[in-house]
Amino acid sequence: MAVKKHNPSDYGEPIHYDPDFNGPLKRRSCTDVLCLFLLLVFIGCWVGIGLYAFMQGNPDILLVPVDSQGARCGLDSHVRDKPYLFFFDLTKCLQPIPFAGCNTPQVCVKQCPQTLFLLDTTNYYRPEDMICTNDVQVPRTKDEAFRLVSDGKCARWYLHSESVEKRCLPNIFSQSDLAQLTRIDSNITVEMLEKVKSAINSVVDVEQVGKHVVEDIMRSWWQILLGLVFAMLVCIIYIVLMRWIASVMVWFSIAGVLAALSFGIYICYKKYEYYKAQKIYTSSEPWYQSLLYKPGTWLAFLITASVILVIILLVLIFLRKRIVIAIALIKEASKAVSSVTASLFFPIIPWVLQVGVIMYAVSVGLFLSTVGSPQFIVENFDPNNCKCSGPAQAYTNNATCDPGIFATHCKDYYGRPCGPASCHYVGTDSSAIITYLHVINVFGFFWTIFFVSGLADMVLAATFATWYWTFRKRDVPFFTVTESIIRTLRYHLGTLAFGSLIIAICSMIRALLEYIDQKLKAYDNFVTKAILCCCKCFFWCLESFIKFINRNAYIMCAIHGKNFCISAKDAFNLLMRNILRVFVLDKVTDFLLFLSKVLVTAGVTSVAYVILATDYVKIVDTSQLHYNYVPVIIIGVGTFFITLVFFSVFTMAVDTLFLCFLEDSERNDGSPEKPYFMSKNLMLILGKKNK
């Protein structure tokens, strides 16, 4: 079967010269109004769903601890007055992660132990000091206590504890405690208890670590602020320098990334050799820190860095001839961004809006998960040992119950709680409509987050298109960004709603496929897995393609003021008529900008590390900080987001100028009547000139 060759004429006629065209149209009409109306109606419904969730939901239920018998502490009838979870033997709570899947009995208690308790043949025994599971009575004699301890029904020892997220964890671990515990149980060693102590500290100290981190942030806030200001200045200086020495800056970014990766490979190799020669991988530090003392960790880092370095080198080798052209386009983008300085700071507004959308969607989802009345059923009910009266008279196994009524009106023949029988919490009794509300919430998240992102893209596209199509760049209006914002908000919110709706539908389908995949993991069916894998791959490609088309459709809409469908068609045809330039120029530019972001982030973080976390440069006194790495980490993360903000503007500038350049090439021929709007440098590289 013959493959049809690419023919540019199949994608419409080239754009014809228009003597009246000089940039984004001033007179235009509203586009895709129906989609805007649908979005406003949807947002109104979404807000209503949020208010309903906030009034009816109770997320605290999700945080209630559960004991070994499945009872929810402080919620089920027989443990209604016992809100705290107690661990019998902490030595069994070490691997692989402290207190995750702890293989020891856990029981709900009224309060965490306030003293040290040791069940020993030589000490005085008080029954009220014993902590046992809820299905047994407290042993009255020491012999009975030893028997229940051997059966795993009671704890043989415990320490003074405090509540951490309603879990009882010791906060005092003295050497005398260690000595007494090792004396009563030969299976308990000092080394084991030291591990317990370390594990306990790693959990108990979470709150303390949080306080220390907050204190460090308060003490070093001015250092963090200066670091972030420094990051902003680096980004601005970087962009300004690219306007004059773009070639030098791009090659500097490439060399810097390659040098950083090479140095990282060298460090990883030396660390791997060192810890491999040690042959001792144990450490008294927490498990997540002890990973750095294992040779396998550094070997993994070494392999990862090497693979990344090889990939970057191969890309540079194969695209070396195209980098020169990409540098010219980057230089044009630098001129545009430098000429319209306000465009650098505009993305802060959509970023704040996106954070708000994420927080709202997560909060609504969390509250919706607990909407409805808690559902309790009777479990382990034996009418021979438990008698219910009054409102609870009709209670039987699996019957719906009320924990308060069960605790008050259900007793054994001695007037005590019914032992194993209980009114057990099994979930929230929510109607099927809650599932649909969850789906609406997820869809609302996708739609609004893509809408806000599209708003930022269209405003920047209108800004940089105005710069490109202004023949004398010094005549660019001062309030170009403001005019672009007003024009977009007045005319094209419907187009943004249309484009974001398409991406949201595709993202929703991908999320549904992931949900189905999780549900079908229990069934080892190769055919099903293959079909799902193909579907997920297809929709990922489709979503990526739609995002690409949307971005260019927003640019065309910002320039010509047409609706989404016409703008998308015009952008697609224009790109397809110049398909080779799209792949060899636009994508190379994106790759070079990515290297620049990596270099700026790594550079600023390295400077912060040298100044704040080492003794090489003693400019700042960090002796009052608990953790010197706190300001470094915050500066590193902050720098990453700052580079995203600044270079997202840069990326949008490149995409807009690239599309304008393609249209300029078709619309004009360089004659005095139809001169090119592109810069002389770009014309020189592409072999064009104005006559």
Side-chain angles (χ1 to χ4, degrees):
M1 181 179 178
V3 179
K4 184 180 179 181
K5 294 184 178 180
H6 175 77
N7 187 0
S9 62
D10 293 338
Y11 299 96
E13 294 292 329
I15 301 175
H16 298 291
Y17 172 72
D18 182 1
D20 297 326
F21 179 78
N22 60 352
L25 299 180
K26 303 296 188 234
R27 294 183 178 181
R28 54 181 70 198
S29 59
C30 296
T31 54
D32 303 299
V33 179
L34 180 59
C35 287
L36 176 60
F37 176 74
L38 290 176
L39 176 62
L40 294 176
V41 172
F42 179 84
I43 291 178
C45 297
W46 193 25
V47 171
I49 292 173
L51 294 175
Y52 170 74
F54 295 147
M55 290 187 295
Q56 301 295 326
N58 181 20
D60 291 338
I61 295 178
L62 302 177
L63 304 177
V64 172
V66 181
D67 68 7
S68 300
Q69 297 176 329
R72 291 183 173 264
C73 301
L75 197 60
D76 289 357
S77 61
H78 61 300
V79 291
R80 196 173 181 83
D81 58 341
K82 300 176 180 180
Y84 304 105
L85 186 67
F86 171 78
F87 298 86
F88 274 20
D89 188 355
L90 291 172
T91 61
K92 298 180 180 178
C93 301
L94 300 179
Q95 298 294 336
I97 300 175
F99 305 100
C102 188
N103 188 25
T104 187
Q106 302 160 42
V107 62
C108 301
V109 294
K110 292 182 179 180
Q111 64 177 7
C112 294
Q114 300 299 305
T115 59
L116 168 68
F117 172 78
L118 304 170
L119 182 62
D120 191 6
T121 56
T122 60
N123 62 5
Y124 177 71
Y125 174 70
R126 294 196 310 169
E128 59 270 21
D129 291 336
M130 292 291 293
I131 297 181
C132 303
T133 57
N134 293 302
D135 59 343
V136 301
Q137 299 295 330
V138 176
R140 295 298 175 183
T141 64
K142 184 174 289 189
D143 292 337
E144 185 181 358
F146 273 109
R147 180 179 59 80
L148 291 175
V149 167
S150 63
D151 293 339
K153 298 293 186 180
C154 297
R156 187 175 182 182
W157 61 274
Y158 54 75
L159 302 169
H160 182 283
S161 305
E162 286 188 357
S163 171
V164 178
E165 294 296 331
K166 295 189 176 182
R167 276 81 172 171
C168 296
L169 298 177
N171 65 340
I172 298 177
F173 218 137
S174 65
Q175 293 299 321
S176 60
D177 294 338
L178 297 179
Q180 293 186 66
L181 290 175
T182 54
R183 178 173 56 82
I184 66 167
D185 193 340
S186 59
N187 294 324
I188 300 178
T189 64
V190 174
E191 291 77 11
M192 183 182 297
L193 291 175
E194 286 292 347
K195 290 184 178 180
V196 174
K197 181 179 179 180
S198 177
I200 291 171
N201 289 336
S202 66
V203 177
V204 176
D205 287 348
V206 168
E207 183 178 356
Q208 190 66 26
V209 169
K211 293 180 180 178
H212 287 169
V213 170
V214 173
E215 291 177 1
D216 289 344
I217 293 174
M218 297 300 295
R219 292 173 180 173
S220 62
W221 65 269
W222 64 273
Q223 301 165 9
I224 296 173
L225 182 60
L226 287 177
L228 297 179
V229 171
F230 175 70
M232 292 180 61
L233 291 176
V234 170
C235 289
I236 294 174
I237 293 173
Y238 195 95
I239 291 174
V240 171
L241 289 177
M242 289 183 72
R243 178 175 183 176
W244 308 107
I245 49 173
S247 179
V248 174
M249 295 303 296
V250 170
W251 287 111
F252 174 74
S253 299
I254 295 172
V257 172
L258 294 179
L261 280 173
S262 301
F263 181 72
I265 291 173
Y266 171 77
I267 294 296
C268 291
Y269 175 76
K270 299 298 291 185
K271 289 285 187 180
Y272 169 72
E273 288 291 324
Y274 174 77
Y275 289 114
K276 183 181 179 182
Q278 293 292 315
K279 298 182 179 180
I280 300 176
Y281 313 138
T282 58
S283 173
S284 59
E285 297 184 3
W287 64 274
Y288 51 86
Q289 293 184 10
S290 64
L291 287 176
L292 297 178
Y293 299 99
K294 297 181 178 180
T297 303
W298 292 103
L299 180 61
F301 290 159
L302 174 63
I303 295 174
T304 303
S306 301
V307 171
I308 295 175
L309 179 62
V310 171
I311 292 175
I312 293 178
L313 286 174
L314 291 175
V315 171
L316 293 174
I317 291 172
F318 284 105
L319 299 179
R320 62 189 184 278
K321 294 182 179 179
R322 305 298 178 183
I323 291 178
V324 177
I325 303 177
I327 289 174
L329 189 57
I330 290 176
K331 189 174 183 178
E332 286 293 288
S334 299
K335 291 180 180 179
V337 174
S338 301
S339 300
V340 191
T341 310
S343 63
L344 283 173
F345 304 97
F346 165 73
I348 295 176
I349 299 175
W351 269 72
V352 172
L353 293 175
Q354 287 179 330
V355 171
V357 169
I358 293 172
M359 294 177 62
Y360 177 77
V362 172
S363 300
V364 172
L366 186 62
F367 276 83
L368 277 177
S369 300
T370 57
V371 168
S373 56
Q375 185 178 12
F376 297 85
I377 63 173
V378 179
E379 290 187 350
N380 303 317
F381 184 78
D382 184 0
N384 296 322
N385 298 322
C386 186
K387 184 177 181 181
C388 297
S389 60
Q393 189 172 3
Y395 283 172
T396 59
N397 266 324
N398 299 321
T400 303
C401 60
D402 181 274
I405 294 176
F406 188 93
T408 304
H409 295 278
C410 294
K411 305 290 182 180
D412 62 10
Y413 291 101
Y414 298 99
R416 299 175 302 189
C418 288
S422 65
C423 183
H424 181 62
Y425 174 81
V426 293
T428 302
D429 185 16
S430 56
S431 60
I433 194 173
I434 299 298
T435 302
Y436 297 107
L437 296 183
H438 274 296
V439 174
I440 294 175
N441 180 52
V442 174
F443 185 76
F445 165 75
F446 285 131
W447 196 355
T448 51
I449 207 76
F450 291 132
F451 176 83
V452 174
S453 177
L455 175 64
D457 288 346
M458 185 174 287
V459 170
L460 292 175
T463 299
F464 297 125
T466 300
W467 181 89
Y468 184 94
W469 292 108
T470 302
F471 195 79
R472 294 179 177 85
K473 306 306 180 187
R474 61 177 178 271
D475 296 334
V476 175
F478 182 79
F479 294 103
T480 303
V481 175
T482 305
E483 292 179 359
S484 300
I485 294 174
I486 295 174
R487 189 185 306 135
T488 302
L489 294 178
R490 181 178 178 182
Y491 296 109
H492 303 306
L493 290 181
T495 297
L496 297 175
F498 194 173
S500 56
L501 174 62
I502 297 174
I503 305 179
I505 293 174
C506 191
S507 298
M508 198 68 190
I509 295 175
R510 288 187 61 201
L512 179 61
L513 290 173
E514 291 291 342
Y515 175 78
I516 295 174
D517 189 26
Q518 292 294 325
K519 289 295 183 182
L520 294 179
K521 279 188 175 180
Y523 305 96
D524 190 12
N525 190 317
F526 176 77
V527 176
T528 304
K529 290 181 179 180
I531 294 175
L532 279 175
C533 183
C534 293
C535 290
K536 289 193 291 184
C537 180
F538 169 77
F539 280 101
W540 178 84
C541 295
L542 178 62
E543 182 178 346
S544 300
F545 175 75
I546 292 176
K547 287 181 178 179
F548 175 76
I549 293 298
N550 274 19
R551 192 177 182 89
N552 290 282
Y554 294 154
I555 296 173
M556 295 299 285
C557 179
I559 298 173
H560 301 287
K562 299 178 181 179
N563 62 33
F564 178 83
C565 293
I566 296 178
S567 298
K569 184 191 72 172
D570 292 343
F572 179 77
N573 289 336
L574 179 60
L575 293 172
M576 291 302 295
R577 290 195 297 268
N578 301 271
I579 191 64
L580 294 179
R581 286 175 175 173
V582 172
F583 284 103
V584 302
L585 183 58
D586 194 36
K587 296 311 166 187
V588 174
T589 306
D590 291 341
F591 174 70
L592 296 179
L593 291 179
F594 169 74
L595 295 182
S596 299
K597 287 186 279 189
V598 171
L599 182 65
V600 171
T601 302
V604 173
T605 305
S606 299
V607 172
Y609 172 77
V610 171
I611 296 176
L612 299 177
T614 67
D615 296 329
Y616 296 114
V617 180
K618 296 184 178 180
I619 300 177
V620 180
D621 181 17
T622 58
S623 58
Q624 295 182 346
L625 299 181
H626 297 94
Y627 312 106
N628 291 342
Y629 292 95
V630 169
V632 176
I633 293 174
I634 294 177
I635 290 173
V637 174
T639 301
F640 171 74
F641 284 105
I642 288 173
T643 57
L644 286 182
V645 171
F646 279 90
F647 283 92
S648 65
V649 177
F650 214 91
T651 303
M652 195 63 202
V654 169
D655 290 344
T656 303
L657 298 183
F658 179 68
L659 210 61
C660 292
F661 155 72
L662 295 180
E663 184 171 336
D664 189 15
S665 299
E666 290 188 353
R667 187 184 292 276
N668 303 303
D669 58 8
S671 63
E673 296 80 15
K674 297 186 287 183
Y676 292 118
F677 282 76
M678 67 186 77
S679 67
K680 293 181 179 179
N681 185 43
L682 196 58
M683 284 191 288
L684 180 64
I685 292 177
L686 297 175
K688 298 180 181 294
K689 64 179 180 178
N690 284 327
K691 301 176 183 178

